[in-house]
């Protein structure tokens, strides 16, 4: 029985603070912007974080030899302007990740991904600092200081993995962080700068060492950043990775440990911890991402992540994403909330539903969370990660009028575009009609009813791997003159004999 209680539950709902993307250069593609527009219309994230700001496809950093044989540096912000303009036009701002290394500035040839982001340290740290400062000053000139200083900054991505940072060299990353931090703060100390952007590999010792380094160097960092993925033992078949999900309790414990490490330093106690990437699988070829199971599992995380973290950025908003190359099919296990073809996946609706949970939390359980609305009603989300139907009973608050009750169901039966695509024959190239059908099949089922004053509870079944959003508020009926709903439903057809 779900029974509402005031003042008992804490719920830091920051679901809309940030969302992830692939490399920033993808924002030059039309399909990417269409998916982002859909996400912003229905969810409305505040910030967006992605890789590759300084990678060669953004074409910012250049070196050339002048007529005297001297090496000179020049910057090209053409693509940067297009990307930032596109973001701001869609009411989203960058959460800036400093990386990867321009090839002309790199100390080595190691790269990652299909698009070959260079993951080696700079050959010249002074030039790296100049690049950061030139980029920030350009953004300030274009968009204004008071705007740009609100954009959070993170130094690099997952340096504790050798693929993302050559040899996962801890001391070298600390140097990169310090030089970057000082360069940013020299422009304006109000910039919010964080790191170390680690994933869950040796994360305890990395975070401890990072904070000890910042303490020793008197670096007054503004935030700690890390990532969270929730799978074990991926099984590779062809182009796909099939995964096993970890117990959410284990995942939350991992974040709790990070929180405790941060708070163990007097200088950094209570600093915001931003999860700048999270999802189930860490690989963009995992069919779990396209499923209702993913939607229900993520709902359970969204109810808890705010207990330790200031924000938690889902990786990613859309499937225009090319780490392993251009996807072959619309459903290919990509990270996104939206499949190619602008088709919302079930997890898309989990975020839409949680965005609506603003207000005092009156119930928080292992499979449901509810908030009170200002008009005396309530909103809530119920999720089912089991293989059986979950039956939930909501004890309705006392009231002196009828209520409108609505539920939106997302489950394997009514909102499962992956299944419909499979039943179509899994076409790799969708026709216009197929896209429209899949978009229709990707919408929740909506059920409504009027609750009388006498009704004290309502029963809700949630199917396996389902997510249900409920909303209830007082009815304020003001019928138009002569309108009689009961009379409408009494119409009969007269048949002549």
């Amino acid at each position: 029985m779900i029974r509402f209680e005031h003042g008992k539950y804490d719920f830091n709902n920051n679901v809309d603070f940030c969302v992830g993307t692939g490399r920033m250069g993808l924002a030059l593609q039309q399909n990417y912007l269409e998916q982002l527009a859909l996400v912003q219309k229905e969810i409305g994230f505040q910030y967006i974080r992605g890789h590759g700001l300084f990678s060669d496809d953004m074409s910012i950093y250049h070196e050339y030899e002048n007529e005297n044989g001297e090496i000179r540096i020049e910057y090209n912000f053409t693509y940067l302007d297009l990307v930032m303009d596109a973001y701001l036009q869609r009411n989203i701002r960058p959460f800036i990740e400093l990386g990867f290394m321009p090839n002309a500035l790199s100390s080595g040839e190691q790269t990652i991904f299909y698009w070959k982001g260079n993951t080696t340290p700079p050959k010249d740290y002074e030039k790296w600092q100049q690049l950061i400062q030139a980029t920030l000053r350009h953004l300030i000139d274009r968009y204004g200081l008071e705007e740009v200083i609100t954009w959070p900054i993170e130094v690099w991505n997952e340096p504790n993995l050798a693929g993302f940072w050559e040899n996962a060299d801890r001391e070298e990353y600390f140097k990169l962080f310090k030089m970057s931090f000082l360069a940013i703060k020299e422009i304006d100390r109000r910039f919010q700068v964080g790191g170390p952007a680690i994933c869950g590999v040796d994360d305890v010792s990395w975070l401890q060492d990072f904070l000890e380094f910042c303490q020793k160097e008197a670096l007054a960092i503004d935030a700690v950043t890390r990532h969270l993925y929730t799978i074990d033992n991926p099984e590779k078949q062809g182009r796909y990775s099939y995964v096993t999900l970890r117990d959410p309790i284990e995942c939350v414990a991992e974040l709790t440990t990070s929180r405790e490490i941060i708070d163990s330093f007097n200088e950094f106690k209570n600093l915001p911890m931003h999860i700048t990437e999270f999802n189930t699988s860490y690989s963009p070829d995992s069919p779990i991402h396209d499923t209702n199971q993913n939607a229900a599992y993520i709902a359970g995380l969204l109810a808890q992540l705010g207990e330790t973290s200031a924000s938690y950025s889902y990786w990613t908003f859309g499937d225009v994403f090319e780490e392993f190359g251009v996807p072959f099919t619309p459903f290919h296990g990509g990270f996104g909330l939206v499949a190619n073809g602008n088709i919302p996946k079930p997890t898309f609706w989990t975020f839409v539903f949680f965005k609506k949970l603003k207000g005092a939390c009156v119930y928080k359980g292992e499979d449901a969370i509810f908030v009170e609305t200002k008009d005396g009603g309530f909103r809530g989300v119920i999720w089912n990660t089991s293989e059986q139907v979950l039956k939930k009973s909501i004890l309705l608050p006392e009231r002196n009028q009828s209520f409108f009750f609505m539920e939106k169901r997302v489950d394997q039966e009514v909102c499962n575009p992956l299944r419909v695509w499979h039943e179509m024959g899994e076409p790799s190239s969708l026709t216009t009609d197929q896209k429209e059908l899949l978009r229709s099949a990707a919408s929740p089922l909506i059920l409504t009813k009027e609750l009388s004053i006498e009704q004290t509870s309502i029963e809700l079944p949630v199917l396996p791997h389902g997510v249900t959003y409920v909303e209830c508020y007082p009815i304020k009926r003001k019928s138009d003159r002569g309108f009689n709903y009961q009379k409408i439903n009494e119409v009969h057809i007269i048949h002549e004999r």
Side-chain angles (χ1 to χ4, degrees):
M1 172 73 74
I2 295 176
R3 184 191 306 268
F4 299 153
E5 298 183 64
H6 293 85
K8 182 178 179 180
Y9 305 100
D10 292 324
F11 178 39
N12 176 31
N13 183 10
N14 218 359
V15 68
D16 58 348
F17 183 78
C18 188
V19 73
T21 176
R23 73 180 190 277
M24 296 186 69
L26 293 172
L28 301 173
Q29 296 187 26
Q30 178 182 348
N31 289 338
Y32 175 103
L33 295 177
E34 289 174 351
Q35 291 179 21
L36 182 58
L38 174 62
V39 166
Q40 286 302 93
K41 177 184 176 183
E42 298 292 341
I43 303 171
F45 292 99
Q46 299 174 53
Y47 294 97
I48 186 167
R49 172 192 173 272
H51 304 322
L53 170 63
F54 294 140
S55 293
D56 281 6
D57 71 314
M58 286 292 287
S59 195
I60 293 176
Y61 183 86
H62 298 267
E63 292 184 356
Y64 68 96
E65 184 176 325
N66 68 10
E67 59 276 7
N68 298 320
E70 300 168 325
I71 300 299
R72 291 287 184 261
I73 298 170
E74 60 184 359
Y75 306 105
N76 182 345
F77 297 115
T78 300
Y79 279 179
L80 180 65
D81 292 347
L82 291 174
V83 171
M84 294 301 170
D85 286 354
Y87 287 161
L88 294 173
Q89 288 165 9
R90 288 156 184 83
N91 199 30
I92 196 165
R93 289 160 171 78
F95 191 125
I96 298 173
E97 175 199 300
L98 300 182
F100 292 120
M101 196 60 58
N103 284 323
L105 184 54
S106 67
S107 60
E109 297 181 356
Q110 175 177 293
T111 63
I112 195 167
F113 301 142
Y114 165 84
W115 44 275
K116 299 187 183 303
N118 190 289
T119 55
T120 68
K123 63 185 180 184
D124 185 321
Y125 272 95
E126 184 177 354
K127 291 180 179 179
W128 169 253
Q129 289 183 305
Q130 291 169 356
L131 169 61
I132 293 171
Q133 292 188 334
T135 301
L136 291 178
R137 288 190 174 111
H138 172 78
L139 293 172
I140 290 168
D141 288 345
R142 187 171 177 84
Y143 303 108
L145 175 62
E146 298 306 315
E147 168 67 32
V148 176
I149 60 170
T150 67
W151 301 353
I153 301 176
E154 181 179 46
V155 180
W156 212 255
N157 176 77
E158 297 184 354
N160 58 327
L161 296 184
F164 280 108
W165 181 245
E166 191 174 44
N167 302 318
D169 188 325
R170 201 171 300 197
E171 297 305 317
E172 192 70 31
Y173 171 74
F174 293 167
K175 179 179 180 181
L176 180 85
F177 182 86
K178 177 182 177 180
M179 301 301 283
S180 303
F181 182 89
L182 294 176
I184 296 164
K185 293 293 187 175
E186 186 177 289
I187 294 177
D188 196 300
R189 299 205 63 81
R190 291 176 294 173
F191 274 111
Q192 301 292 296
V193 186
I198 51 174
C199 64
V201 176
D202 201 16
D203 55 321
V204 172
S205 66
W206 255 86
L207 183 55
Q208 183 75 33
D209 289 352
F210 172 73
L211 293 176
E212 288 177 359
F213 172 82
C214 291
Q215 182 186 55
K216 178 183 176 182
E217 297 292 327
L219 301 179
I221 59 175
D222 301 290
V224 172
T225 66
R226 63 155 299 153
H227 299 165
L228 176 70
Y229 291 95
T230 67
I231 66 162
D232 280 328
N233 305 318
E235 175 191 349
K236 192 75 173 180
Q237 291 186 16
R239 276 194 281 267
Y240 297 89
S241 296
Y242 296 90
V243 303
T244 301
L245 293 171
R246 290 193 287 159
D247 188 327
I249 294 176
E250 178 185 342
C251 302
V252 172
E254 187 177 307
L255 299 178
T256 300
T257 298
S258 293
R259 182 73 263 168
E260 291 171 348
I261 293 172
I262 298 166
D263 291 342
S264 70
F265 290 81
N266 289 332
E267 298 93 332
F268 310 127
K269 188 174 183 178
N270 296 323
L271 269 186
M273 180 170 76
H274 293 290
I275 305 173
T276 50
E277 287 184 26
F278 91 99
N279 206 320
T280 45
S281 173
Y282 47 71
S283 188
D285 57 5
S286 300
I288 183 71
H289 294 138
D290 302 337
T291 67
N292 296 85
Q293 184 178 9
N294 199 78
Y297 186 94
I298 291 295
L301 286 181
L302 291 180
Q304 301 179 74
L305 291 178
E307 294 174 4
T308 57
S309 309
S311 72
Y312 28 95
S313 178
Y314 190 78
W315 186 257
T316 60
F317 80 83
D319 272 358
V320 178
F321 191 90
E322 299 176 359
E323 285 184 357
F324 291 176
V326 179
F328 281 73
T329 60
F331 292 95
H332 55 274
F335 289 120
L337 295 171
V338 181
N340 290 334
N342 233 21
I343 303 160
K345 301 181 190 180
T347 306
F348 174 94
W349 297 108
T350 298
F351 278 80
V352 171
F353 297 163
F354 268 81
K355 175 67 181 278
K356 295 179 180 293
L357 299 187
K358 304 294 185 180
C361 186
V362 292
Y363 180 85
K364 188 177 182 181
E366 63 180 11
D367 50 25
I369 190 161
F370 282 77
V371 300
E372 185 180 48
T373 56
K374 293 180 180 179
D375 57 8
F378 60 84
R379 295 174 176 174
V381 178
I382 306 170
W383 57 92
N384 181 8
T385 57
S386 75
E387 300 293 338
Q388 292 78 41
V389 175
L390 175 66
K391 296 182 179 179
K392 301 296 288 187
S393 179
I394 303 174
L395 182 64
L396 298 172
E398 292 186 8
R399 58 201 188 283
N400 57 9
Q401 63 188 116
S402 299
F403 268 43
F404 172 78
F405 184 86
M406 173 183 65
E407 58 179 302
K408 294 184 178 181
R409 295 182 181 177
V410 172
D411 57 48
Q412 294 171 319
E413 297 298 322
V414 299
C415 184
N416 190 350
L418 176 65
R419 188 202 68 204
V420 176
W421 176 72
H422 168 71
E423 292 169 348
M424 284 180 176
E426 303 176 9
S428 58
S429 298
L430 298 174
T431 66
T432 299
D433 288 345
Q434 287 173 330
K435 288 180 184 178
E436 291 178 354
L437 176 59
L438 286 166
R439 289 169 191 154
S440 297
S443 296
L445 174 68
I446 300 175
L447 300 173
T448 64
K449 64 180 68 176
E450 180 178 344
L451 303 180
S452 66
I453 298 175
E454 295 78 18
Q455 192 166 351
T456 60
S457 65
I458 188 167
E459 305 295 322
L460 286 176
V462 183
L463 296 185
H465 307 304
V467 180
T468 295
Y469 169 79
V470 299
E471 185 172 326
C472 188
Y473 55 82
I475 295 173
K476 299 177 181 178
R477 181 170 289 118
K478 296 181 180 179
S479 299
D480 191 22
R481 180 166 58 89
F483 185 85
N484 189 317
Y485 184 74
Q486 183 176 354
K487 193 174 184 65
I488 293 171
N489 287 288
E490 292 174 352
V491 172
H492 300 286
I493 299 176
I494 299 175
H495 295 279
E496 295 183 3
R497 295 187 180 181

